[in-house]
Amino acid sequence: ASTQYRMILVGSARLLVAEGRPEEALTQLLGAGEMLTAAGMDCPSAVPWQADAALAAGLAGAREQARDLATGALAAARRGGAPTAIARALRAAARAEGGARAIELHREALATLADLPPRLERTHALVDLGAALRRDRRRAEARELLRQGLRDAVDGGALALAETARVELAAAGARTTEPRTGLAALTPSERRGAEMAAAGMTNRAIAQ
């Protein structure tokens, strides 16, 4: 049960990041990481708190902290050997860098997942690489990756990530025509609330 609780902390921290609250997410992830480490259950392939913390730190503007966390996350992920954990740590490391080095790390993250089916981590890798290329003014290549990332995000119901891809595509000079009806019309918070209601949770429990 304690392991599940810590995994829930990591999952809820990801929701905080999606809602634009990286500082809160970072505090929660660091707390979860301390508990996992103390319990000897710090496995990046199962609970990648350190990579998530590095991503949150980068979004919060704490670049040095993000770099330190990403370095530790990548070393641990490589020891474990799980492609998804390695790719997430590489994305975290890229977020702590900039320019050509960030693009190199994002490319490595996407390549690490090349033999796996399209899933959320691969979609994140597509969008992150596309965004990094857009910032480097390589707009044609960026648009191709961002369009694929947007399609995969919409297909997978990753609404916040789909919105990020749309914003990046617009910045890269492209127009998007994906529909915003049904599930795609919901905000991330609305989608999560609907999922909890469908699972039978009470309104009070959902609000908490």
Side-chain angles (χ1 to χ4, degrees):
S2 59
T3 302
Q4 290 179 334
Y5 171 70
R6 289 156 188 155
M7 291 178 69
I8 289 170
L9 284 178
V10 174
S12 65
R14 290 184 181 181
L15 287 175
L16 289 171
V17 169
E19 292 172 355
R21 298 155 65 186
E23 294 87 356
E24 295 174 56
L26 179 59
T27 299
Q28 189 162 297
L29 285 162
L30 291 175
E34 288 179 4
M35 289 189 289
L36 286 163
T37 301
M41 295 184 293
D42 189 10
C43 176
S45 61
V47 189
W49 73 269
Q50 204 168 13
D52 283 292
L55 289 166
L59 289 171
R63 176 163 286 194
E64 287 302 320
Q65 186 178 19
R67 186 177 288 112
D68 290 343
L69 287 164
T71 298
L74 185 55
R78 290 195 190 283
R79 287 195 299 271
T84 299
I86 293 171
R88 192 167 189 83
L90 284 165
R91 287 199 306 110
R95 289 282 188 90
E97 301 293 340
R101 178 56 179 161
I103 291 173
E104 178 185 345
L105 290 166
H106 281 310
R107 286 195 192 281
E108 186 178 351
L110 188 57
T112 299
L113 302 168
D115 295 331
L116 299 180
R119 290 180 181 168
L120 183 59
E121 186 58 40
R122 183 171 178 269
T123 305
H124 271 292
L126 282 166
V127 174
D128 279 2
L129 176 55
L133 289 167
R134 192 273 303 168
R135 289 190 293 271
D136 200 47
R137 301 182 184 277
R138 295 155 72 172
R139 294 187 173 185
E141 188 179 359
R143 287 194 292 267
E144 181 180 351
L145 291 163
L146 289 166
R147 286 194 181 99
Q148 182 61 57
L150 176 56
R151 285 193 295 269
D152 290 350
V154 170
D155 289 345
L159 305 184
L161 184 55
E163 187 59 28
T164 298
R166 288 189 183 96
V167 170
E168 288 292 342
L169 271 169
R175 292 184 178 181
T176 61
T177 58
E178 282 71 14
R180 292 174 180 259
T181 59
L183 289 176
L186 298 177
T187 67
S189 295
E190 289 169 340
R191 171 70 179 271
R192 181 62 180 156
E195 290 173 345
M196 290 188 286
M201 293 178 65
T202 65
N203 289 338
R204 182 177 181 182
I206 292 171
Q208 289 176 339

